[in-house]
Amino acid sequence: GAVAGLTAIRRAIRRPHEDHRHLPVIFNDYMNTLMGNPTTERLLPLITAAAGAGAEYFCIDSGWYADAGEGWWDTVGAWKPSRNRFPGGFTEVLDHIRACGMIPGLWLEPEVVGVNSPIVSQLPQDAFFRRSGQPIVEHGRYHLDLRHPAAVKHLDEVIDFVVGDLGVGYLKLDYNIAVGPGPETGGLTAGAGLLAANRAHLAWLDAALDRHPGLVIENCSSGGMRTDYALLARLQLQSTSDQQDYLRYPPIAAAAPAGIAPEQAAVWAYPQPGFTDDEIAFTMASAMLSRVHLSGHLDRMSRRQHALVAEGVRVYKQIRSSIASSVPFWPLGLPGWTDSWIALGMRSPGAAYLTVWHRGPQDGTGPDQSRLTLPLPELRGEPLAAQVLYPPGTGTEATWDAMLGTLTVVLPRAPSACVLTLAS
């Protein structure tokens, strides 16, 4: 009940946006896939495979702005496409995304400028965070102070180039440094300067969305560092984690709706050609009651594997309108990091949806059962039917006992997971 109330508040304070109703599927090339090393050769088959699986956005993650073989960490800031990564031009890749029926997206880390970036000499010193009269250098980067009009102008030009000239419709905004206390410029203490700089950052985001109201922006920040509703009242999605182990993601995915509206909680689903069918279904199911952040080498999969991924996306598209108005619940309580069984539910008018994960023992303990009974006392007496929506044909079973108010789920193998519904 408390989380239902918080979810309602989170929805009420948000900037209106079509993304919150449609919940499009986003493919991102980073996680366990290109890992910041995109090229035309790598991207074109991946784009085709992502579209074939049902993705609606394709986001090119980090690395698109840096020439291959060159360090980019301390040179970022100009945000122009690399030439040698895309010998036919960056538009060749973006046009292929559009030709496949998807909207192109890009990764940016807009608030930082590398100490060796040409942008450093193009901006006044007060356009960066400064303390004791000196610029703050954190891990080879300066931090833009968006109270300064030159900093705002620079970032506005970046956004207008990427969105206006390149035609990008999705931005993944990252933030990978920890600058500590704020700037002391403007006669303020570091704490007051940080607050003022934060407010200026929010105002800049508001203005960017005012200019480009259809733009979808993901709040990433190293996989979830800035999970707060100062930002999420403005931005459409929140990365929940950069966890690379699909077996460790379920407690993160299941707990995320306690802090984020489920239609804003982006969860990685990164199936791989080396996975078994159970493992593919497991990682797909992890994202299907939130926002699907699809990744993985779909272009290297067999037809059967690719079809299993596409089936997960198809089922997600059937239920996503309900997720946008649902409230979360946890039949087993909030998950523990080493729990063998984890369950997340979404209750919407007329139906409840659940993801149940069976990871097997995660803490070195002994054998594990393949059957679990979930108590749902609030639905006791309701004449409901349980149906497994995904994956198809794996021996998974679900049985509803209206008299006891319990749902019994059989997942015969570990690891495995399923998405199911309880409806009248």
Side-chain angles (χ1 to χ4, degrees):
V3 175
L6 288 169
T7 302
I9 291 169
R10 290 163 185 154
R11 288 171 173 156
I13 65 174
R14 288 187 312 213
R15 178 189 186 102
H17 199 287
E18 287 298 295
D19 182 82
H20 297 318
R21 294 195 306 113
H22 297 304
L23 281 63
V25 175
I26 299 129
F27 188 97
N28 182 296
D29 68 23
Y30 184 81
M31 185 56 68
N32 294 351
T33 309
L34 299 188
M35 299 296 285
N37 194 19
T39 63
T40 300
E41 183 181 13
R42 295 184 181 113
L43 283 167
L44 294 184
L46 198 55
I47 291 165
T48 302
E56 293 154 299
Y57 284 77
F58 189 101
C59 182
I60 302 170
D61 209 277
S62 58
W64 61 270
Y65 39 80
D67 282 347
E70 295 182 3
W72 59 266
W73 180 265
D74 62 359
T75 60
V76 294
W79 306 113
K80 300 295 183 183
S82 165
R83 293 182 179 179
N84 68 2
R85 287 183 180 275
F86 313 105
F90 197 43
T91 55
E92 177 187 5
V93 176
L94 300 180
D95 286 347
H96 188 58
I97 293 172
R98 285 186 279 262
C100 288
M102 299 181 292
I103 296 171
L106 285 180
W107 178 99
L108 285 175
E109 194 174 356
E111 295 160 79
V112 300
V113 175
V115 294
N116 292 316
S117 171
I119 300 301
V120 174
S121 62
Q122 297 172 18
L123 294 175
Q125 292 185 349
D126 283 350
F128 302 99
F129 276 25
R130 298 173 66 82
R131 285 197 292 269
S132 302
Q134 299 297 317
I136 300 170
V137 178
E138 169 63 22
H139 203 46
R141 272 102 171 271
Y142 297 119
H143 193 297
L144 286 171
D145 188 339
L146 291 171
R147 295 176 298 167
H148 198 288
V152 172
K153 181 175 183 292
H154 164 63
L155 285 194
D156 283 349
E157 289 173 350
V158 169
I159 298 299
D160 292 346
F161 165 71
V162 167
V163 178
D165 296 351
L166 297 182
V168 165
Y170 182 99
L171 291 178
K172 175 178 178 175
L173 299 188
D174 215 338
Y175 184 76
N176 293 302
I177 64 171
V179 75
E184 293 177 335
T185 47
L188 299 176
T189 62
L194 183 61
L195 178 60
N198 282 341
R199 288 172 172 166
H201 175 226
L202 298 176
W204 171 73
L205 289 169
D206 284 335
L209 285 167
D210 287 343
R211 293 196 313 280
H212 305 287
L215 180 65
V216 176
I217 302 181
E218 173 196 344
N219 188 42
C220 176
S221 304
S222 289
M225 286 202 304
R226 283 175 160 179
T227 305
D228 69 79
Y229 267 80
L231 286 162
L232 288 180
R234 294 163 169 84
L235 307 184
Q236 288 69 59
L237 291 94
Q238 171 66 55
S239 175
T240 54
S241 180
D242 276 348
Q243 173 59 248
Q244 292 181 256
D245 185 343
Y246 74 99
L247 284 175
R248 295 181 181 225
Y249 217 129
I252 301 168
I260 310 166
E263 66 274 18
Q264 290 181 278
V267 174
W268 288 106
Y270 34 61
Q272 300 295 348
F275 280 11
T276 66
D277 287 359
D278 280 342
E279 290 168 335
I280 289 173
F282 188 100
T283 186
M284 290 300 298
S286 291
M288 288 171 61
L289 293 188
S290 299
R291 289 299 293 275
V292 176
H293 255 188
L294 191 61
S295 197
H297 288 288
L298 306 189
D299 54 322
R300 303 178 187 174
M301 286 185 166
S302 68
R303 285 188 180 181
R304 188 195 75 256
Q305 290 175 317
H306 192 270
L308 184 57
V309 174
E311 176 64 9
V313 173
R314 186 193 67 80
V315 171
Y316 177 73
K317 289 179 178 179
Q318 285 187 329
I319 67 176
R320 62 184 172 183
S321 61
S322 297
I323 294 170
S325 58
S326 65
V327 293
F329 65 99
W330 294 269
L332 302 175
L334 286 168
W337 187 243
T338 60
D339 288 354
S340 174
W341 289 82
I342 294 171
L344 168 66
M346 293 290 167
R347 187 176 294 109
S348 64
Y353 299 93
L354 294 99
T355 297
V356 182
W357 295 267
H358 180 201
R359 297 195 291 175
Q362 299 293 297
D363 55 3
T365 57
D368 186 42
Q369 78 274 23
S370 62
R371 177 188 302 266
L372 186 71
T373 298
L374 307 175
L376 299 171
E378 64 276 15
L379 298 178
R380 184 182 293 121
E382 296 287 334
L384 304 174
Q387 179 187 0
V388 176
L389 300 176
Y390 182 81
T394 58
T396 300
E397 300 174 13
T399 307
W400 170 245
D401 188 320
M403 182 177 298
L404 296 177
T406 58
L407 175 69
T408 300
V409 178
V410 176
L411 285 167
R413 296 172 299 280
S416 59
C418 68
V419 178
L420 56 91
T421 183
L422 277 172
S424 54

